Amino acid sequence: MLKIKTPHLFLSWFSFIAVLTAAFTASIAAADPSKAPLKVVATTGMIADLAEEVGGDRVDVAALMGPGVDPHLYKATLSDLQQLQRADLILYNGLHLEGKMAEVLEKLAKKKPSVAVASGIDTNLLLQPPEYEGQYDPHVWFDIKLWIKAMEAVTLSLSEQRPEDKQFFESNAAAYMAELLRLDEWIREQIASIPKAQRVLITAHDAFGYFGKAYDIEVMGLQGLSTASEFGLHDLKRLVDVIIDRRIKAVFVESSVPQKFILALKEGVQARGAEVALGGELFSDAMGEKGTPEGRYTGMLRHNVSTIVQALR
Ligand SMILES: [Zn+2]
């Protein structure tokens, strides 16, 4: 009896040890920080979207600025600071987009991997409007080809943090780039369908400079590159003249800028006995609600282009 029982006893001991070992290994895997998704904190929704597209399930991405939030005026809250402190990687736009967060971001960059995704773009490709002496236009996401360069910066920084996932990030980036290039082509065709004389995009602030250059539409804003700049009666009169002289059909509000600026323009046109319509809401410096098509970068662009084409054509 004993001779038969011993192997059983031995086997059950063996499986007990095996189960223990497996459980121990599993608990190590769960606690191993290199296996948990990389914690990425981005300032704007557009940058968070890039990190999600490239990082897939290997990253856990949070955006500090939600729908309707103006990045030029945004100040970091206490909970933002806590979130930034816990991040493995910080991504921001740079080129002074986050005007009121510059100091916070600079301090964090000394302690944490931080990447300004637009700052790496060749300055020859950046716009430097003469009226904003020495400042580059930060709204690079409105030219898809420039945004692809920002995506490359994101891919590189994710790969530096997680070299073992480099191939995964690069293959996601390649697939997303193909999608972006198709969208770029579609935008070009759509904007070209607006008669040249009507192809003028008037908004509250100068967010669409790159869009105008890339897709061949004239752009004009009431405020400057940053919503922090004021506009005067002179700017208002200049745009009212353009609208009346060129018979512009519509002007556009932006989701992250108060409507009163564009309404002042509409009233200015009415005071001269003419009419201009509100062409609808564009997403300029912030995306739409999460879970809606406009809550993604590609959906935001599609929405803007459809709105512009419908109002101006
Ligand atoms: Zn802006």
Side-chain angles (χ1 to χ4, degrees):
M1 283 295 275
L2 209 75
K3 270 184 183 170
I4 299 165
K5 247 193 163 174
T6 312
H8 277 266
L9 199 68
F10 175 75
L11 262 182
S12 58
W13 252 111
F14 183 78
S15 42
F16 177 66
I17 298 286
V19 167
L20 255 190
T21 312
F24 185 63
T25 315
S27 82
I28 285 187
D32 183 355
S34 70
K35 295 286 174 252
L38 189 75
K39 275 205 273 308
V40 179
V41 175
T43 51
T44 69
M46 292 76 82
I47 299 170
D49 185 74
L50 263 190
E52 279 170 4
E53 291 288 351
V54 176
D57 60 1
R58 317 264 163 104
V59 296
D60 178 3
V61 185
L64 298 183
M65 304 173 196
V69 174
D70 179 346
H72 302 286
L73 304 178
Y74 189 80
K75 289 182 187 146
T77 64
L78 191 63
S79 93
D80 289 344
L81 292 177
Q82 288 164 344
Q83 223 171 342
L84 287 163
Q85 298 283 3
R86 285 196 297 265
D88 298 317
L89 173 66
I90 297 170
L91 298 174
Y92 63 104
N93 191 81
L95 303 178
H96 305 290
L97 177 75
E98 300 93 342
K100 312 267 177 190
M101 282 186 67
E103 209 180 312
V104 169
L105 291 168
E106 256 169 51
K107 271 190 192 153
L108 281 160
K110 288 182 187 144
K111 299 189 277 185
K112 280 193 181 286
S114 302
V115 177
V117 301
S119 291
I121 299 173
D122 184 347
T123 52
N124 290 322
L125 301 172
L126 295 179
L127 293 176
Q128 200 175 16
E131 59 271 38
Y132 313 113
E133 19 162 331
Q135 230 202 97
Y136 290 113
D137 182 341
H139 305 91
V140 293
W141 56 94
F142 280 125
D143 176 348
I144 288 183
K145 298 219 164 99
L146 291 186
W147 202 231
I148 286 174
K149 301 207 176 286
M151 180 187 72
E152 285 164 1
V154 170
T155 310
L156 193 68
S157 60
L158 291 178
S159 303
E160 273 167 11
Q161 296 311 309
R162 285 286 162 86
E164 66 274 28
D165 290 330
K166 187 170 184 268
Q167 261 191 327
F168 175 77
F169 296 142
E170 283 175 354
S171 99
N172 285 350
Y176 190 49
M177 183 161 99
E179 185 185 340
L180 290 182
L181 290 174
R182 282 195 299 274
L183 181 60
D184 184 73
E185 204 43 54
W186 178 79
I187 296 176
R188 217 171 293 285
E189 288 164 16
Q190 288 297 306
I191 299 297
S193 73
I194 305 169
K196 183 84 183 167
Q198 300 290 314
R199 226 183 285 159
V200 184
L201 175 60
I202 298 178
T203 56
H205 92 295
D206 275 335
F208 294 91
Y210 292 104
F211 183 83
K213 184 170 177 245
Y215 305 108
D216 192 22
I217 179 168
E218 215 176 316
V219 295
M220 295 177 193
L222 202 47
Q223 289 173 287
L225 281 185
S226 166
T227 52
S229 64
E230 300 281 329
F231 70 93
L233 281 178
H234 171 76
D235 302 298
L236 196 65
K237 188 182 174 305
R238 172 180 57 96
L239 284 188
V240 168
D241 286 344
V242 170
I243 293 168
I244 290 172
D245 294 348
R246 298 179 56 178
R247 297 187 183 152
I248 306 298
K249 286 188 196 165
V251 292
F252 299 87
V253 295
E254 296 167 56
S255 68
S256 52
V257 181
Q259 294 205 1
K260 61 182 180 195
F261 302 122
I262 278 302
L263 292 177
L265 187 60
K266 187 172 161 54
E267 280 161 22
V269 172
Q270 276 168 339
R272 298 257 303 265
E275 251 336 304
V276 67
L278 287 183
E281 184 183 60
L282 303 182
F283 296 99
S284 56
D285 292 3
M287 304 197 300
E289 295 291 337
K290 230 182 163 47
T292 67
E294 295 78 22
R296 302 225 62 123
Y297 171 72
T298 51
M300 163 197 191
L301 286 189
R302 266 191 211 98
H303 164 92
N304 284 354
V305 171
S306 304
T307 305
I308 293 166
V309 169
Q310 218 162 46
L312 296 183
R313 190 160 57 188

